[in-house]
Amino acid sequence: MASEEGTVRVDSWIWSVRLTKTRSLAASACRAGHVRVNGERVKPAHAVRSGDEVRLRHAGRERIVVVSRVVRKRVGAAVAAECFVDNSPPPPPREEIAEVPRRDRGAGRPTKRDRRDMERLRGR
């Protein structure tokens, strides 16, 4: 189930310790350049060993974790928490997150004036 020595693929490890829901999401994040190991962008097959720093941009925030234990298969949440040291910054409070303005359902396509107003609000 868990091994204390050796290496494992980075996409498999990210999925095994429950940083992403699926392994394919972890592999997609690697291919998109959202995963860095020791400061370098990596492909899904890159080997991870104990002591490596993994940075993952996922779900609107950056997770910074240090690998403390290499696992090959998905483990329970309690065991997964022991497999890494989380050095991530705390997520911003919900009040500080700007809410995306939404148009009313059925309002139709925005006019040119509406589009310019929206761009002005966004600061573009």
Side-chain angles (χ1 to χ4, degrees):
M1 186 160 160
S3 70
E4 295 294 330
E5 54 192 83
T7 62
V8 69
R9 291 173 55 112
V10 69
D11 62 338
S12 180
W13 185 83
I14 289 171
W15 168 73
S16 297
V17 297
R18 298 173 174 264
L19 294 177
T20 60
K21 265 188 170 178
T22 65
R23 183 169 172 191
S24 63
L25 277 176
S28 297
C30 291
R31 282 193 294 276
H34 299 291
V35 177
R36 292 178 180 265
V37 175
N38 298 327
E40 295 181 24
R41 286 185 176 174
V42 295
K43 293 182 178 181
H46 187 273
V48 175
R49 52 184 58 84
S50 189
D52 285 349
E53 180 190 64
V54 178
R55 290 176 176 254
L56 168 70
R57 273 191 295 136
H58 178 67
R61 71 183 277 221
E62 184 172 24
R63 301 288 305 266
I64 304 169
V65 297
V66 176
V67 180
S68 60
R69 195 162 116 197
V70 177
V71 291
R72 298 190 189 289
K73 300 205 176 191
R74 193 160 171 98
V75 293
V79 178
E82 298 170 359
C83 294
F84 61 88
V85 178
D86 197 355
N87 295 332
S88 305
R94 288 197 175 267
E95 299 86 41
E96 290 183 18
I97 298 173
E99 193 169 319
V100 178
R102 308 254 172 160
R103 290 180 56 84
D104 293 331
R105 189 173 175 96
R109 184 174 173 173
T111 63
K112 194 172 201 176
R113 173 185 262 168
D114 292 339
R115 181 182 54 81
R116 288 183 176 157
D117 289 342
M118 287 187 287
E119 286 179 355
R120 195 173 306 115
L121 279 173
R122 291 182 188 146
R124 293 183 187 168

